Amino acid sequence: MTLFVWIMITIVFLYTMGFSIKLWKESKVGSCAVALVAVAIVIAPFFTVL
């Protein structure tokens, strides 16, 4: 189950970072905010589930 959780977290992180990179051309501040959310996605499970 832990492996499944990490695979899902990785997929969501990569998708969010890809969106952040694509957003960079339009809005630098928004892109930085999305990148911070992506980092939070990776850090949050240490405080909740895992």
Side-chain angles (χ1 to χ4, degrees):
M1 189 66 177
T2 304
L3 179 63
F4 176 73
V5 170
W6 277 112
I7 289 171
M8 294 307 296
I9 288 171
T10 303
I11 290 170
V12 172
F13 174 76
L14 291 175
Y15 182 82
T16 308
M17 285 305 293
F19 177 69
S20 176
I21 291 168
K22 196 165 243 191
L23 186 63
W24 183 259
K25 296 175 185 175
E26 296 176 27
S27 171
K28 308 258 191 277
V29 175
S31 177
C32 290
V34 171
L36 287 175
V37 169
V39 171
I41 289 171
V42 174
I43 294 173
F46 288 109
F47 298 113
T48 57
V49 179
L50 301 176

